[in-house]
Amino acid sequence: MLRPITTLPLPATAQLLLRENGFLYCEDVISHRGVAPEACKILQRWDLHSGDCWNGLTSPPPTYNSLDLWQEECASSSIVTWSKDLDVILNGGIPFQAITELCGAPGSGKTQLGLQLCVDVQIPECLGGADGHAIFIDTASNFSTRRIRAIADACCKHCHLLSRKNQRDLDNFNADTVMRNIHVISIHGIIELLAAVKILPQFIRQHPQIKLIIIDSLAFPFTCGETCSTIDRTSYIYRILSDLQILAVQKKLAVVVTNQLTTRIIKPTNKSDLAPALGESLGHRVTQRVLLGRIPGNLKAAIVLKGNNLSISSAKFKITEDGIRDV
Amino acid sequence: MAKLTTTMCQVLTKAAIENLGQRKIYSIVDVLQEDPKKLAAISKLDFKDIVTLRQTLLTNFCPFPRQGLDAYNELLSQCSYLPSGIESFDKLLGGGFLTGRVYEVCGVSGSGKTQLCLTVATNVALKLKKTVHFVDTKLDFSGKRVHSILETKEPCVEIIGSTMEKILVTRVNSYNELYSFLYHLKNQLLQEPGVARMIIIESLPAVFFQYMGAHNLDSLGLLNSLASLIKYIAHEHFVSIVIVNLASLWVEEESAPLVHDENEAESSVPVIDIKPALGKYWAHIPNTRLYIEQCGNSNVRKITVMKSTHLSLGSFCNISVSSEGVK
């Protein structure tokens, strides 16, 4: 059993040239004597002609045993939501190294929670926070600087009170720096969204302190008129989430995407119900899924629909001028 | 090696290979398909040498036919059942996961596919003391979850630790990484047989959906390469492979050709309006396809045999998902 060239992450033109010259399998290109001279000539154009380079392409990803992973999980923290009840059902907040989907009807608090997280991720380390920056990819022009200011003011005030008790210096932590550390990327349409995600690795290399990426909302570009078949849509979404997952693991950051609700018609009975948009495939792809909703009394409710460590449970919270708070 | 080299046969000289290469005859298959007289003319070798070359290639690269009885006896000595440790599920499977077979677990998101896989991995590692490979494509593996399942079954901390060391997790982010991992494992199995008896791939659509769509025509080719590698590992090295697939309850018309509905034709199978992902081609790959679904809002899940070479179709069992894992 030999490994076909097509299973390597090579540019399409490189694959074509190799195939035309009779190289169908990896074992043809590289042997214990190194890269075959003819293949070397072809691969020079992509700077892939060295044996090390080729080994890098074919080497398997690292394997860990679950004991090490468990220890790592136990040591990692999460981003608090500022509502204790919500934190409890999420096992401490929005986790790092995972993709969290927030879905809900209009006015259920998806964006508000997103804005709150942008501020909360910046809580200084001495107060148990992540002390990181945030990227907010705004697809539906939902980002509100006024709200961010109010949430940041409230958060800073609270942290300063806490730090005074602990006799710690928090001079650099004020609403201005909080707002400076939120990088907003406004995009319009699917292509810009795909491009924005592609440049994230470079952007994060320049700003290594980024600990949170929010896409608000992931569904909007796919619903606003650009024609795109279902299968293409799934393919785009999986590409976006796959790129985000690589960042989440490598840079140990949290990824949050928001999603809308849509009417789903169940075929044989023709009954309908509300379900998160973008199809079943999105629910499959994300690590955890939280449904937000409005309940009487101007309150909001959150229900965990999917999560590995989380059982299906719900919590209430409210949105005040200062941000997300407990009821 | 598929490309012709001088080491394959004495009569094959460097000049002859170059001559053949000019007429686009590169591989063993090319040589065997070409008329010997024409080959002699192109390569400037004697006709006698060409006949020797053909004969050598055929004897070296042809698989030997075996008698059915020998194959059967070998199967009996090498094959075994790996009990999943879940009583009703083992009964459904006729004793457990058979080595050398490919199983597929499909279900909608949140139906308990991951929970089932984590429990099976834990039980195989704990009770059979076998190494389990868990390939994690969408950050689903949770060390905390495995630890909490183990805690309910085993009081001794050291045994928990050694069991968790037997569950090996590989996080893959792309198709190429998945292929590299399996290919590397195949080579490892050749050197030390029995190093792995069970591989769980959670989940395949997560790395695959991004290659689907109107502009990606090579997706079937990639799926094909992966399928043959999976079959090879399962069959040659007596490994049970469990693959998690997504099922969808709602299908928009555009995606219909890629989605498979096999139940309508078979009256013995209860009609379920679900569509496992990855299309008709993939439906031929797993030996057994199991469908998992949630019964109402309870913790009970129903597992139905949708396709199988050795189990009766339509048979089902009920399991329950709780904090102790799946029972």
Side-chain angles (χ1 to χ4, degrees):
Chain A
M1 174 118 214
L2 306 171
R3 179 168 187 174
I5 294 278
T6 46
T7 62
L8 292 177
L10 283 177
T13 38
Q15 293 204 2
L16 194 70
L17 268 178
L18 283 173
R19 197 158 59 220
E20 275 175 358
N21 286 286
F23 292 97
L24 296 175
Y25 299 100
C26 293
E27 285 78 358
D28 293 334
V29 177
I30 193 161
S31 61
H32 57 277
R33 277 170 300 182
V35 180
E38 277 174 74
C40 210
K41 242 181 271 165
I42 299 168
L43 290 166
Q44 239 159 15
R45 207 198 295 180
W46 291 273
D47 219 6
L48 290 167
H49 53 285
S50 72
D52 287 343
C53 230
W54 196 261
N55 283 337
L57 285 176
T58 53
S59 67
T63 298
Y64 306 96
N65 71 48
S66 57
L67 191 65
D68 296 342
L69 286 177
W70 172 64
Q71 279 159 353
E72 199 184 303
E73 274 172 46
C74 289
S76 82
S77 60
S78 24
I79 308 173
V80 292
T81 60
W82 220 280
S83 156
K84 210 169 233 168
D85 290 351
L86 196 53
D87 285 345
V88 166
I89 64 165
L90 290 170
N91 251 345
I94 302 292
F96 293 105
Q97 296 197 61
I99 302 172
T100 306
E101 180 196 344
L102 305 173
C103 49
S108 56
K110 305 185 292 287
T111 305
Q112 294 299 320
L113 186 51
L115 296 175
Q116 178 77 51
L117 290 170
C118 281
V119 174
D120 291 350
V121 75
Q122 305 190 33
I123 296 173
E125 250 166 54
C126 58
L127 296 176
D131 199 8
H133 297 184
I135 294 178
F136 192 99
I137 299 181
D138 185 16
T139 66
S141 310
N142 270 336
F143 188 80
S144 156
T145 40
R146 201 191 64 78
R147 287 294 298 140
I148 273 286
R149 183 91 207 176
I151 296 170
D153 274 335
C155 175
C156 290
K157 215 164 134 194
H158 186 87
C159 287
H160 282 289
L161 277 176
L162 271 180
S163 70
R164 224 163 287 154
K165 258 190 231 159
N166 295 339
Q167 316 251 313
R168 285 223 179 80
D169 192 31
L170 279 184
D171 283 345
N172 284 328
F173 190 65
N174 55 46
D176 282 346
T177 46
V178 166
M179 287 180 74
R180 207 171 290 136
N181 291 340
I182 300 171
H183 308 269
V184 184
I185 303 174
S186 287
I187 64 111
H188 302 280
I190 301 169
I191 296 183
E192 283 188 31
L193 177 59
L194 286 166
V197 172
K198 280 280 172 225
I199 59 154
L200 280 182
Q202 197 190 339
F203 189 80
I204 290 173
R205 230 172 291 134
Q206 288 159 3
H207 301 86
Q209 272 189 300
I210 283 166
K211 283 278 169 213
L212 171 71
I213 300 172
I214 294 183
I215 300 185
D216 182 46
S217 97
L218 182 63
F220 187 72
F222 295 96
T223 49
C224 63
E226 268 182 78
T227 46
C228 162
S229 75
T230 319
I231 200 91
D232 281 342
R233 186 187 72 187
T234 308
S235 140
Y236 292 149
I237 289 170
Y238 269 59
R239 263 178 238 190
I240 292 170
L241 291 178
S242 165
D243 288 347
L244 290 175
Q245 175 177 311
I246 295 172
L247 287 174
V249 173
Q250 281 176 354
K251 312 282 176 194
K252 298 201 185 335
L253 41 82
V255 175
V256 176
V257 296
T258 66
N259 189 9
Q260 305 160 357
L261 292 184
T262 181
T263 310
R264 160 166 83 174
I265 295 165
I266 300 163
K267 268 282 160 60
T269 51
N270 273 337
K271 276 186 198 153
S272 68
D273 62 2
L274 279 178
L278 301 177
E280 201 81 55
S281 51
L282 177 66
H284 183 61
R285 188 67 179 77
V286 296
T287 326
Q288 51 187 37
R289 173 176 250 183
V290 182
L291 176 69
L292 303 177
R294 265 186 299 191
I295 51 173
N298 210 9
L299 297 176
K300 314 281 174 186
I303 306 168
V304 177
L305 291 185
K306 179 190 172 177
N308 262 337
N309 283 310
L310 316 171
S311 51
I312 296 180
S313 49
S314 60
K316 285 181 203 164
F317 64 95
K318 66 181 174 191
I319 296 172
T320 65
E321 181 60 28
D322 294 343
I324 309 277
R325 290 294 181 271
D326 268 324
V327 175
Chain B
M1 205 171 284
K3 209 168 152 63
L4 294 173
T5 56
T6 44
T7 51
M8 277 178 186
C9 183
Q10 279 184 339
V11 298
L12 207 55
T13 58
K14 216 167 179 183
I17 292 177
E18 267 172 32
N19 287 337
L20 288 169
Q22 277 166 5
R23 297 292 290 270
K24 301 258 170 225
I25 296 173
Y26 294 114
S27 66
I28 300 165
V29 180
D30 293 338
V31 168
L32 294 178
Q33 276 175 344
E34 198 56 75
D35 177 35
K37 275 182 195 154
K38 220 169 153 188
L39 279 180
I42 297 167
S43 64
K44 305 201 174 76
L45 290 175
D46 285 348
F47 184 69
K48 220 171 115 193
D49 285 343
I50 293 292
V51 175
T52 330
L53 172 67
R54 273 180 68 97
Q55 207 51 45
T56 321
L57 290 181
L58 279 175
T59 40
N60 284 350
F61 290 92
C62 214
F64 291 108
R66 264 192 318 175
Q67 280 187 335
L69 189 64
D70 292 344
Y72 177 69
N73 284 333
E74 196 192 299
L75 198 72
L76 282 188
S77 65
Q78 300 275 1
C79 251
S80 60
Y81 278 110
L82 301 176
S84 68
I86 307 159
E87 212 173 296
S88 55
F89 188 42
D90 279 338
K91 221 169 158 189
L92 179 76
L93 294 174
F97 290 100
L98 199 56
T99 56
R101 300 291 168 125
V102 180
Y103 291 82
E104 180 190 283
V105 177
C106 64
V108 298
S109 71
S111 58
K113 305 183 290 291
T114 309
Q115 297 299 330
L116 182 68
C117 289
L118 288 177
T119 310
V120 169
T122 328
N123 283 339
V124 170
L126 178 69
K127 292 183 183 152
L128 303 174
K129 310 258 176 269
K130 297 271 188 234
T131 304
V132 181
H133 275 276
F134 197 101
V135 184
D136 185 13
T137 61
K138 52 190 182 77
L139 301 178
D140 257 341
F141 185 84
S142 160
K144 278 186 188 164
R145 187 80 183 104
V146 167
H147 189 259
S148 70
I149 293 173
L150 273 171
E151 266 184 332
T152 61
K153 296 181 192 215
E154 180 57 56
C156 173
V157 181
E158 274 136 46
I159 295 180
I160 290 182
S162 67
T163 305
M164 287 185 82
E165 277 172 357
K166 286 201 175 62
I167 305 175
L168 301 178
V169 184
T170 310
R171 292 203 159 130
V172 300
N173 295 312
S174 65
Y175 170 83
N176 311 105
E177 285 185 12
L178 176 61
Y179 197 96
S180 294
F181 165 73
L182 289 172
Y183 196 73
H184 183 77
L185 190 68
K186 182 214 85 174
N187 291 339
Q188 219 182 330
L189 279 164
L190 277 176
Q191 281 161 10
E192 344 166 26
V195 72
R197 288 318 284 274
M198 182 177 250
I199 303 171
I200 297 174
I201 300 176
E202 155 87 50
S203 78
L204 196 52
V207 286
F208 217 83
F209 272 170
Q210 52 178 306
Y211 296 102
M212 306 235 270
H215 307 292
N216 289 298
L217 297 172
D218 29 318
S219 67
L220 265 189
L222 295 178
L223 198 57
N224 189 1
S225 304
L226 189 70
S228 54
L229 179 60
I230 285 172
K231 286 270 188 189
Y232 177 89
I233 293 177
H235 190 258
E236 292 295 310
H237 299 290
F238 301 98
V239 176
S240 328
I241 298 185
V242 182
I243 295 165
V244 175
N245 193 1
L246 169 74
S248 180
L249 284 171
W250 63 344
V251 169
E252 284 163 59
E253 263 144 38
E254 291 155 289
S255 63
L258 269 156
V259 181
H260 185 40
D261 192 357
E262 61 189 319
N263 296 312
E264 280 170 8
E266 294 162 35
S267 57
S268 60
V269 181
V271 177
I272 323 164
D273 190 31
I274 54 134
K275 332 264 176 181
L278 294 175
K280 267 187 184 160
Y281 172 75
W282 180 256
H284 296 287
I285 307 304
N287 302 101
T288 300
R289 171 173 263 179
L290 303 163
Y291 174 63
I292 178 166
E293 65 186 319
Q294 193 176 6
C295 301
N297 270 332
S298 61
N299 281 332
V300 178
R301 304 288 194 274
K302 183 178 163 192
I303 302 178
T304 316
V305 179
M306 277 179 73
K307 170 207 154 161
S308 180
T309 45
H310 64 291
L311 304 172
S312 63
L313 294 185
S315 55
F316 64 92
C317 74
N318 286 326
I319 55 168
S320 70
V321 179
S322 64
S323 56
E324 303 121 68
V326 175
K327 269 198 287 194

